[in-house]
Amino acid sequence: MFGAAEAAGAVEPGFLLENAYVVPLVMAASFVLTLAIGKRLGKHASWIGIVSIGFCFLFAVGVNVQWYGYVHDSEHAAESHAEDGEESHGDDTEDPAEDEDAARAEDPELPAGDEGALVVPAAEGAGPMVDGESASARGPPTVAAVAEEGEGGGEGHAEYTIEPVTKSVTWWTNGTVEFEVGMLLDGMAVMMLFVVTLISLLVHVFSTDYVAGDRRYTHYFAFLSLFSAAMLGFVMSQNTLQLITLWELVGVCSFALIGHWWEEKPNSDAALKAFLTNRVGDVGLLVGMIILFFAAGQTFDIIEINTLANTGDITHTALLVASLCLLAAVMSKSGQFILHTWLPDAMAGPTPVSALIHAATMVVAGVYMVARMYGVFWNGLVIGGSSINALAVVGGLTVLGGAGLAFVQSDIKKVLAYSTVSQLGYMVMALGVGAWTAALFHLFTHAFFKAGLFLGSGSVAHAVHSFDMKKDMGGMKQFMPKTFWTFVICTAALIGIFPFAGFWSKDEILAGASQLGGDGSYTAFLVVGSIGALMTAAYMTRCIYLTFFGEFRGAHHGEVSHGTEDHPVEEDHLAADSGHGDDLEAAHDPHAGDHGLPHESGPRILVPLYILAGLAIVAGFANIPNSGALSWWPEDFALVFEHLFEPRGGYFPSLTEAGPTGAVFAHPKFDIVIALSSTLLGLLGIGLAYAWYFKGLGPHGITQRNRLAGVGHRILVNKYYFDHLYTGIIAGGVKGPVARATNWFNKHILDGVVDGVGKGAVVGGRFVYETIDQKVVDGAVNGSGYAAEGGGQVFRIMQTGKVQQYGAILFAATVVLAGIFIVVI
Amino acid sequence: MVAQNIFFYVIAAVMAFSAIRVVTVKNVVHAAMYLVLVLAGVAAQYVLLASEFLAATQVLIYIGAIVVLVLFGVMLTRAKLGEDVNLTNDYWYVGAFTGVILFVLLATSLLDHFGDEPLDQANASTQISGNTEQVADALFAPYLVPFQAVSVLLLAALVGAIALARKD
Amino acid sequence: MDDLMLNQFLLLSAILFSTGVYGVLAKRNAVIVLMSIELILNAVNINLVAFGAHNGTIAGSVFALFVIAVAAAEVGVGLAMVLVIYRNRKSVDLDEVAQMKG
């Protein structure tokens, strides 16, 4: 480990890595440019976005390549056999202080210029001031010392450090607090760069066909660009403030794109709902980040906060409260249970947007945030300890809750939306049980196949002008074979059939749930995940059956296109498209004539589908384990994902040393039993659904006959009544009943009191009048009446209406009181 | 240092006298003129306190702009240019009482608390010299955000004043 | 009496402040009330700068600058209000502005 710090420091990150910050800037420029001159370009406006995102994609690929070299160099410079570092080494006995010294002394990167200081922070316990100044103050490395220490400390140390590439400038300062903006590139950020730019590129291409002829075509592409910029900036945020800002910007773009066709009330309602639901969680995000800011000694730096959390310098209470607050943000942004309600409604947006935002990138922002602040969550929630934590529970609930709801949807996009909810639950659950790599790997593979599914559904909807599987689809296999096969491949990946991508990632999560944590404390989540796999298989089979098999239920275009309630606007738009967009391919113009049957989409829709389906097949090979039954797998090709993208350094839970909570970060091993059983469960789910839908077996109509089943069905159809809870009970409860209660109180209690007092006064007055007044006090009463009048006169004079006079009295009184105060004290 | 003290007391006497005249004189325009004296005295005190930038700002903004604005206000509201017997209201004694008590309180507590502390603490004066550059450094680095806020405030005041005063 | 004393400035500031308070409370003419407010603000400024010099920090001067800016804004809006009052009642006598009388 001694060698690691200086060796990693000595490794040159490479030009692209150091300048990756241009990627979000390019997309932001694309946004401005599209807005500025997009209208003039007409339908060519999309080229700005496509060229920009294409450039960014190439850049991201270059960054990944350089990152590969960087990691490689870091490892080999550290120690040649450092690669098996994922196995925990109990015999590691190096002195952390020494290590720290080494890291400090050998931090070689000097500020590149006045403001853009390239900093490679010393990760292991480098103390609270990891920033440009302190890095430059550490001075240049002495090469001799590097070699010496590298050899002296370099025996048998499996754990090495991969220094994140950071770069930041001071944005502004307020007093002594510096607000920085910058980039932090480590494995997960590099990985997300690739995923986001790839999916965004495909969605851009797909959209040129899908929203062709839309009345806000430029607006649409401008916001796609802005969204990409925000998301790319988000994944490489250097500090929490930047994280929050871009998190919100992502939310704003989501709002704008969900409500893209805002002329229809349901769409703008959905956009508002998404935005407001996210606000609920954002409060948690703000509070959590503020707690961390102060707990970590007034810093926004993510690496520093995580490092301090890992070294135990932040109290556990602060970490616990902060991570629970941040969990609220995850629940809203990543559609976790009880705040998931916005995500299905967000399907009101154009389908490519759903693919980009609500499947592949934005909704994983919450997951990504947990992964980014993992030091905080790890120590705050005692992940890897012997008790169940909130993160895993939320994730587990979401897995089952989302999967259950997916069964009763008739809208193909809503099936996929609930599927997304459920899969996000898997990721959060994996993070909760400590399977960090599995969560990120699932994020990686899920992005491809879920985007493929969404774009596939968009392709189908483009043909039939509807999203309603029950009314307007069925038998699409014969019309759209290419879409069908890509859809099936992505579905297989989602279900987790060997050897598709989802198999590897889901299996890793399940293995994590069974093996991590003390005393098998997370085995409950193995059960949850397995049931989830079964349900996923079943509802996806249902979805494929309803969409692609059976009789075509859609009517002819001319008649149906304005009929469905769910997505009337989109339909209008699609119908409106029919006259346009045929310049690129003559074959693609399905709506020009009155011919009735849908047919295959054009190449701009199909090519992204092919690419995504291909990735759904191969993405899983990025992290094939070489343990357990797969130990024969060559080491060089095993766990590539884990090697490349898992952070190594003091800001991440250590593989070897127990943190403040006593838990050691670990990786699950491949377990052939779990792999086989989860595949079998998936096949069982497919089989059950096949029997039910294709063969018509089983008790159909049970929801009508059996009361229990009917209740269950009704609960699912009503989405567990969460919407009723939110709008009916909570909002309505504040609005209506409180007003009514106030009114009632006013009418009965207050009026009653007043009436009672009045009546009592009458009675009392009569008594007084008859017995005392008449006889005794007449004179006295007259006297007091005059007195009251006199007093009234005095106060009447004081109430002049002159503010100046009131002020005079106020100030005089204040001064007198102050004088008394001073004299007495 | 003696010269500084002499200057201080001369200027302070003029300022105190002028300030009292501002609130007692019977002619509004004269009051504005006395105000100019007070403001100029404040600028002089800033110089004594080694804040030459602030002194320049004081002259520019207060005497150059605010007093002119006040005079415009006097003109536009057609106050009598001659003497006006009714400048003081009927309950001026409350104000006088407040002012006197306030001054007594302030003076006693100041004398009690600060006694005869010298203005310059150890090595303070050296830091203060060359004040303009320091003000600029402070204003544009650590106090940038309040600076921006003040800009917005001025804009809001501008809009507000126009919205109030225009005839529509 | 060789060195400048902190209290000299503070007492001068106290005189200006008390005079300003009297002016705000006792004058009928709105323009003079505005002038008195300027007296108060200047008293505060002297305090700020004096304490800044006393402690050897620049913060006092900076905040005095902010106060000047705020004072400029205040006079602008204040005079606009006086103009509106004048336009509506042909007078700037604050004794006549008594709509708050119930």
Tab-separated table of all heavy atoms in Angstrom, chain A residues 74 103 154 171 174 190 233 306 344 354 401 414 465 506 511 622 631 675 700 722 747 766 800 824-825:
chain	number	residue	atom	x	y	z
A	74	SER	N	-1.761	2.290	-12.319
A	74	SER	CA	-1.805	2.411	-10.861
A	74	SER	C	-1.525	1.072	-10.209
A	74	SER	O	-0.767	0.981	-9.254
A	74	SER	CB	-3.178	2.914	-10.420
A	74	SER	OG	-3.423	4.169	-10.970
A	103	ALA	N	1.674	9.182	1.238
A	103	ALA	CA	0.726	9.805	0.325
A	103	ALA	C	0.957	11.297	0.233
A	103	ALA	O	0.920	11.893	-0.832
A	103	ALA	CB	-0.691	9.515	0.802
A	154	GLY	N	6.639	-2.270	-0.330
A	154	GLY	CA	5.830	-2.926	-1.338
A	154	GLY	C	5.791	-4.427	-1.281
A	154	GLY	O	5.775	-5.076	-2.308
A	171	TRP	N	-15.254	28.919	-7.224
A	171	TRP	CA	-16.375	29.598	-7.849
A	171	TRP	C	-16.554	30.960	-7.190
A	171	TRP	O	-16.448	31.983	-7.807
A	171	TRP	CB	-17.602	28.714	-7.677
A	171	TRP	CG	-18.837	29.151	-8.377
A	171	TRP	CD1	-18.953	30.170	-9.274
A	171	TRP	CD2	-20.109	28.569	-8.253
A	171	TRP	NE1	-20.236	30.242	-9.708
A	171	TRP	CE2	-20.969	29.273	-9.094
A	171	TRP	CE3	-20.630	27.519	-7.505
A	171	TRP	CZ2	-22.317	28.965	-9.219
A	171	TRP	CZ3	-21.964	27.209	-7.625
A	171	TRP	CH2	-22.791	27.928	-8.482
A	174	ASN	N	-17.208	33.009	0.420
A	174	ASN	CA	-17.999	33.841	1.317
A	174	ASN	C	-17.355	33.715	2.680
A	174	ASN	O	-17.405	32.660	3.292
A	174	ASN	CB	-19.449	33.375	1.335
A	174	ASN	CG	-20.319	34.371	2.031
A	174	ASN	OD1	-19.890	35.480	2.312
A	174	ASN	ND2	-21.543	33.999	2.316
A	190	VAL	N	-16.482	7.696	-14.492
A	190	VAL	CA	-16.072	7.340	-15.852
A	190	VAL	C	-17.097	6.395	-16.474
A	190	VAL	O	-17.516	6.557	-17.627
A	190	VAL	CB	-14.672	6.700	-15.812
A	190	VAL	CG1	-14.340	6.084	-17.138
A	190	VAL	CG2	-13.642	7.733	-15.433
A	233	GLY	N	-22.682	16.508	-15.770
A	233	GLY	CA	-22.069	17.299	-14.714
A	233	GLY	C	-22.325	16.685	-13.349
A	233	GLY	O	-21.454	16.681	-12.480
A	306	ASN	N	-16.334	11.867	2.556
A	306	ASN	CA	-16.301	10.411	2.637
A	306	ASN	C	-15.104	9.931	3.433
A	306	ASN	O	-15.201	8.986	4.219
A	306	ASN	CB	-16.262	9.822	1.229
A	306	ASN	CG	-17.641	9.749	0.620
A	306	ASN	OD1	-18.623	9.585	1.331
A	306	ASN	ND2	-17.718	9.884	-0.680
A	344	PRO	N	-44.328	6.426	-12.690
A	344	PRO	CA	-45.242	5.961	-13.742
A	344	PRO	C	-45.981	7.104	-14.421
A	344	PRO	O	-46.202	7.064	-15.633
A	344	PRO	CB	-46.202	5.055	-12.982
A	344	PRO	CG	-45.446	4.628	-11.786
A	344	PRO	CD	-44.611	5.780	-11.403
A	354	SER	N	-38.670	9.031	-21.821
A	354	SER	CA	-38.851	8.013	-20.790
A	354	SER	C	-37.661	7.084	-20.770
A	354	SER	O	-37.179	6.688	-19.712
A	354	SER	CB	-40.123	7.216	-21.071
A	354	SER	OG	-41.209	8.084	-21.203
A	401	GLY	N	-42.946	-4.132	-4.380
A	401	GLY	CA	-44.065	-3.232	-4.650
A	401	GLY	C	-44.154	-2.868	-6.120
A	401	GLY	O	-45.231	-2.915	-6.723
A	414	LYS	N	-46.251	1.903	-18.775
A	414	LYS	CA	-46.373	1.857	-17.309
A	414	LYS	C	-45.853	0.538	-16.768
A	414	LYS	O	-45.313	0.490	-15.663
A	414	LYS	CB	-47.825	2.085	-16.907
A	414	LYS	CG	-48.241	3.498	-17.233
A	414	LYS	CD	-49.254	4.060	-16.283
A	414	LYS	CE	-49.379	5.543	-16.530
A	414	LYS	NZ	-50.517	6.166	-15.916
A	465	HIS	N	-49.852	4.059	-32.660
A	465	HIS	CA	-50.375	5.309	-32.103
A	465	HIS	C	-51.053	5.124	-30.774
A	465	HIS	O	-52.050	5.792	-30.480
A	465	HIS	CB	-51.390	5.938	-33.057
A	465	HIS	CG	-50.786	6.281	-34.354
A	465	HIS	ND1	-50.014	7.384	-34.532
A	465	HIS	CD2	-50.840	5.650	-35.534
A	465	HIS	CE1	-49.616	7.420	-35.779
A	465	HIS	NE2	-50.095	6.377	-36.407
A	506	LYS	N	-27.925	-9.226	-11.754
A	506	LYS	CA	-28.895	-9.607	-10.726
A	506	LYS	C	-28.336	-10.704	-9.836
A	506	LYS	O	-28.528	-10.692	-8.613
A	506	LYS	CB	-30.200	-10.051	-11.387
A	506	LYS	CG	-31.329	-10.195	-10.407
A	506	LYS	CD	-32.612	-10.572	-11.100
A	506	LYS	CE	-33.230	-9.417	-11.841
A	506	LYS	NZ	-34.529	-9.747	-12.427
A	511	ALA	N	-26.259	-12.762	-4.769
A	511	ALA	CA	-25.129	-13.346	-4.043
A	511	ALA	C	-24.697	-12.416	-2.918
A	511	ALA	O	-24.385	-12.865	-1.804
A	511	ALA	CB	-23.974	-13.589	-5.008
A	622	ALA	N	-18.969	-7.952	-18.764
A	622	ALA	CA	-18.006	-7.022	-18.204
A	622	ALA	C	-17.596	-7.416	-16.798
A	622	ALA	O	-16.565	-6.978	-16.311
A	622	ALA	CB	-18.583	-5.619	-18.195
A	631	SER	N	-14.532	-20.512	-11.260
A	631	SER	CA	-13.152	-20.164	-10.942
A	631	SER	C	-12.196	-20.509	-12.072
A	631	SER	O	-11.049	-20.084	-12.061
A	631	SER	CB	-12.710	-20.880	-9.663
A	631	SER	OG	-13.049	-22.239	-9.744
A	675	ALA	N	-27.317	-18.723	-8.602
A	675	ALA	CA	-27.457	-18.437	-10.023
A	675	ALA	C	-28.485	-19.359	-10.654
A	675	ALA	O	-29.385	-18.919	-11.380
A	675	ALA	CB	-26.097	-18.604	-10.714
A	700	HIS	N	-58.699	-18.246	-14.581
A	700	HIS	CA	-58.990	-16.913	-15.106
A	700	HIS	C	-60.294	-16.395	-14.527
A	700	HIS	O	-61.213	-17.138	-14.270
A	700	HIS	CB	-59.090	-16.956	-16.640
A	700	HIS	CG	-57.756	-17.001	-17.295
A	700	HIS	ND1	-57.086	-15.883	-17.682
A	700	HIS	CD2	-56.957	-18.041	-17.593
A	700	HIS	CE1	-55.919	-16.239	-18.214
A	700	HIS	NE2	-55.818	-17.547	-18.161
A	722	PHE	N	-51.722	4.816	-2.951
A	722	PHE	CA	-50.799	5.883	-2.553
A	722	PHE	C	-51.253	7.236	-3.078
A	722	PHE	O	-51.170	8.245	-2.386
A	722	PHE	CB	-49.385	5.594	-3.070
A	722	PHE	CG	-48.591	4.811	-2.094
A	722	PHE	CD1	-48.118	3.556	-2.409
A	722	PHE	CD2	-48.332	5.333	-0.845
A	722	PHE	CE1	-47.387	2.831	-1.511
A	722	PHE	CE2	-47.595	4.611	0.068
A	722	PHE	CZ	-47.121	3.358	-0.265
A	747	LYS	N	-68.295	28.052	14.885
A	747	LYS	CA	-69.752	28.119	15.024
A	747	LYS	C	-70.184	27.654	16.401
A	747	LYS	O	-70.959	28.308	17.077
A	747	LYS	CB	-70.369	27.216	13.962
A	747	LYS	CG	-71.486	27.870	13.184
A	747	LYS	CD	-72.010	26.851	12.192
A	747	LYS	CE	-72.654	27.528	11.004
A	747	LYS	NZ	-72.796	26.569	9.909
A	766	ARG	N	-79.717	41.301	35.325
A	766	ARG	CA	-81.049	41.466	35.900
A	766	ARG	C	-80.988	41.420	37.423
A	766	ARG	O	-81.570	42.233	38.123
A	766	ARG	CB	-81.968	40.360	35.361
A	766	ARG	CG	-83.407	40.566	35.716
A	766	ARG	CD	-84.308	39.722	34.843
A	766	ARG	NE	-84.275	40.100	33.447
A	766	ARG	CZ	-84.286	39.222	32.452
A	766	ARG	NH1	-84.322	37.926	32.715
A	766	ARG	NH2	-84.261	39.638	31.202
A	800	THR	N	-53.929	58.633	17.526
A	800	THR	CA	-54.050	59.720	16.565
A	800	THR	C	-53.969	59.245	15.128
A	800	THR	O	-54.331	59.968	14.219
A	800	THR	CB	-52.915	60.716	16.778
A	800	THR	OG1	-51.685	59.996	16.709
A	800	THR	CG2	-53.019	61.388	18.114
A	824	VAL	N	-29.763	49.079	36.373
A	824	VAL	CA	-29.887	47.931	37.268
A	824	VAL	C	-28.685	46.996	37.117
A	824	VAL	O	-28.153	46.496	38.094
A	824	VAL	CB	-31.206	47.187	36.975
A	824	VAL	CG1	-31.223	45.847	37.703
A	824	VAL	CG2	-32.375	48.033	37.419
A	825	ILE	N	-28.244	46.814	35.899
A	825	ILE	CA	-27.146	45.861	35.687
A	825	ILE	C	-25.804	46.555	35.531
A	825	ILE	O	-25.296	47.197	36.334
A	825	ILE	CB	-27.411	45.034	34.413
A	825	ILE	CG1	-28.674	44.204	34.579
A	825	ILE	CG2	-26.232	44.107	34.155
A	825	ILE	CD1	-29.121	43.560	33.322
